[in-house]
Amino acid sequence: GAVVSQHPSWVICKSGTSVKIECRSLDFQATTMFWYRQFPKQSLMLMATSNEGSKATYEQGVEKDKFLINHASLTLSTLTVTSAHPEDSSFYICSARSGLAGGQKKETQYFGPGTRLLVL
Amino acid sequence: TQLLEQSPQFLSIQEGENLTVYCNSSSVFSSLQWYRQEPGEGPVLLVTVVTGGEVKKLKRLTFQFGDARKDSSLHITAAQPGDTGLYLCAGGRGFKTIFGAGTRLFVKA
């Protein structure tokens, strides 16, 4: 149980294009999903927290118009990197947290496998 | 300023050696999690500790939560090359999870 998937696993795009990354909780309902960014050999940097049906809460320094987050259902959240530039190249990881149903511990986050984005 | 301080930041050891990784904070956490992340992959949950003084074992890995719920340790016995990875501790803080900077472990065969 507690499986989180991400799609795509890697993407290469041209500068100026937009890229959408999907995060799905496969066997539980995720009331909250998180989006992280990770630079090489560094820890995770929280970008935003999204709750199903409401607007995402962005961390300081993260542009909400640049990184659009939609959490339309309890099993799906999407991150769209708009007008991507080379400096947006990074490893993007989502995680999902559920309630107590299904055996998952409430405060535990389950991570997706990550999406590697390369902007040329 | 990191709310969760992990030490050491980097550790390179020989196969068969024992090691301990520490996760310390001045704040109390309702729970702490330990994750392991391999290059190019997302973090994988190893354990969650919730009770002060709790000790959990996962094969050669022993996790301990401090009595005051401000710190935790991960001890690996007889490390193997397959243990190589980034070890992250994380603590629940309201709706957020706070991550430590991680300990990068390299086990040489």
Side-chain angles (χ1 to χ4, degrees):
Chain A
V3 178
V4 177
S5 71
Q6 274 184 249
H7 179 79
S9 56
W10 59 271
V11 57
I12 301 173
C13 69
K14 292 183 179 179
S15 185
T17 61
S18 293
V19 175
K20 180 185 282 189
I21 303 170
E22 291 186 350
C23 178
R24 293 181 186 272
S25 56
L26 298 184
D27 53 0
F28 67 101
Q29 292 184 326
T31 52
T32 306
M33 285 186 169
F34 304 86
W35 287 94
Y36 294 85
R37 186 172 179 176
Q38 187 177 34
F39 292 103
K41 298 187 178 180
Q42 293 188 24
S43 188
L44 305 171
M45 183 190 80
L46 179 65
M47 298 175 66
T49 302
S50 74
N51 292 292
E52 184 264 339
S54 63
K55 289 184 178 180
T57 301
Y58 290 80
E59 295 300 299
Q60 192 172 9
V62 179
E63 299 175 57
K64 60 180 67 177
D65 295 331
K66 172 76 171 178
F67 299 99
L68 300 178
I69 291 172
N70 184 278
H71 192 165
S73 77
L74 286 172
T75 60
L76 173 64
S77 176
T78 60
L79 167 67
T80 302
V81 183
T82 62
S83 187
H85 290 285
E87 57 265 31
D88 298 324
S89 300
S90 192
F91 192 51
Y92 292 88
I93 308 174
C94 74
S95 71
R97 187 170 69 190
S98 75
L100 293 173
Q104 293 84 28
K105 294 181 170 57
K106 186 175 183 180
E107 293 179 329
T108 298
Q109 292 184 34
Y110 298 91
F111 286 87
T115 296
R116 187 161 298 283
L117 171 63
L118 177 61
V119 185
L120 302 175
Chain B
T1 303
Q2 287 277 352
L3 281 178
L4 280 172
E5 299 281 348
Q6 282 190 245
S7 61
Q9 293 182 356
F10 180 80
L11 190 58
S12 179
I13 62 172
Q14 288 292 138
E15 181 177 6
E17 292 184 4
N18 302 330
L19 66 119
T20 302
V21 175
Y22 299 93
C23 176
N24 296 306
S25 176
S26 57
S27 303
V28 175
F29 288 91
S30 54
S31 67
L32 274 179
Q33 293 83 44
W34 284 93
Y35 295 85
R36 187 176 87 198
Q37 184 182 23
E38 299 189 25
E41 298 181 11
V44 175
L45 178 68
L46 296 175
V47 77
T48 297
V49 287
V50 296
T51 305
E54 181 177 5
V55 176
K56 282 192 174 179
K57 290 193 174 184
L58 185 64
K59 296 184 180 179
R60 294 176 294 100
L61 278 60
T62 302
F63 305 85
Q64 186 162 7
F65 200 12
D67 291 340
R69 292 186 289 134
K70 293 182 179 181
D71 54 85
S72 181
S73 64
L74 158 60
H75 182 79
I76 301 179
T77 304
Q80 299 177 1
D83 296 327
T84 293
L86 177 67
Y87 289 82
L88 296 161
C89 70
R93 177 60 61 86
F95 287 106
K96 291 186 180 181
T97 298
I98 308 296
F99 281 87
T103 294
R104 192 165 297 278
L105 172 66
F106 182 67
V107 182
K108 294 175 282 189

